[in-house]
Amino acid sequence: MSTPFIVPRIAASDSLVLRPWRLDDLPLVREAAEDTYIPLVTTVPSPYTHAEGVAFIARQEDRALSRKGYPFVMAEAAGDRGLGMIGLWPDAAGEGRASVGYWVPGSARGRGIATVGLRAVSTWALRDLALARVELYVEPWNTASRKTAVHAGFTYEGHLRSHQSVGGERRDMLLYSRITADLTDADG
Ligand SMILES: CC(C)(COP(=O)(O)OP(=O)(O)OC[C@H]1O[C@@H](n2cnc3c(N)ncnc32)[C@H](O)[C@@H]1OP(=O)(O)O)[C@@H](O)C(=O)NCCC(=O)NCCS
């Protein structure tokens, strides 16, 4: 049997940590379930029930155990309260690439959480996991996520037409990436 992925605890800044999911993160899942977009592009249950929330958290543990990826909670460094999710999903073919996805529910938005979390997880992937490339797919209308990508050091590479299905409709995606050569001294 192959070794499970271990989701580490990463200090993203003085105020933000990335850590594994825990059962007491249910309020975070509950708030994300009320968002109009997050359940469309994730497996966050909508409508929310306690049982579905527990199953969502169990799925995150399974994703690491089955080597599908590294699902993190972005949490307050002081107190550990969950503020959002970020996940790193290495390509199964072992080509040194991974994709990344993230969400922050409404009450925690606009405080730089996604930007700091994305920079930290991509730096960890490129430096500690020695991956060569981290990719991010963003819908063209999603200004907040496009800004997050650029502020976190990602480079825009192109517009992918009809790239994936979202809510039953084909949608275009913008492709961003961060590669090993993009690491700077500021990344430690
Ligand atoms: C995208 C998302 C993760 C951003 O999270 P966040 O923690 O609020 O992001 P940050 O605080 O790091 O802000 C990033 C930038 O987006 C800007 N921004 C935030 N909300 C915005 C909005 N509604 N419209 C335009 N810009 C916005 C911020 O001002 C900041 O840019 P600035 O520093 O130049 O002002 C969050 O809005 C979200 O979860 N959206 C729904 C799910 C989603 O779209 N996930 C990404 C899929 S690719």
Side-chain angles (χ1 to χ4, degrees):
M1 203 178 106
S2 48
T3 327
F5 286 161
I6 306 289
V7 179
R9 188 177 177 92
I10 298 172
S13 73
D14 288 347
S15 56
L16 191 75
V17 295
L18 311 185
R19 60 155 175 82
W21 279 85
R22 304 189 307 232
L23 198 50
D24 63 0
D25 292 314
L26 278 175
L28 177 61
V29 185
R30 184 181 201 124
E31 191 186 351
E34 286 160 9
D35 189 81
T36 51
Y37 187 59
I38 296 171
L40 281 183
V41 287
T42 66
T43 65
V44 167
S46 179
Y48 177 87
T49 64
H50 178 79
E52 291 285 350
V54 170
F56 173 84
I57 292 175
R59 278 199 294 282
Q60 307 318 308
E61 194 176 335
D62 285 347
R63 290 164 115 179
L65 288 174
S66 61
R67 298 174 62 85
K68 291 207 171 55
Y70 299 86
F72 291 93
V73 171
M74 298 186 277
E76 285 171 343
D80 236 14
R81 186 172 65 97
L83 301 170
M85 171 166 189
I86 190 156
L88 183 86
W89 315 110
D91 72 305
E95 291 285 347
R97 290 189 296 262
S99 63
V100 67
Y102 45 81
W103 49 258
V104 175
S107 66
R109 284 186 189 157
R111 290 159 44 186
I113 290 162
T115 300
V116 170
L118 179 60
R119 181 173 275 274
V121 87
S122 56
T123 298
W124 173 74
L126 296 169
R127 197 184 52 197
D128 297 58
L129 296 183
L131 296 181
R133 174 180 166 90
V134 180
E135 296 181 343
L136 171 61
Y137 297 83
V138 181
E139 288 201 63
W141 58 263
N142 197 341
T143 309
S145 190
R146 290 167 62 177
K147 284 188 174 179
T148 298
V150 172
H151 292 338
F154 279 64
T155 297
Y156 171 68
E157 293 187 334
H159 187 126
L160 308 176
R161 295 178 301 154
S162 192
H163 186 257
Q164 76 190 57
S165 178
V166 175
E169 270 178 31
R170 295 307 299 181
R171 300 276 179 93
D172 294 1
M173 289 285 160
L174 307 184
L175 172 61
Y176 292 81
S177 75
R178 191 165 183 233
I179 64 171
T180 314
D182 297 331
L183 290 171
T184 67
D185 290 346
D187 293 312

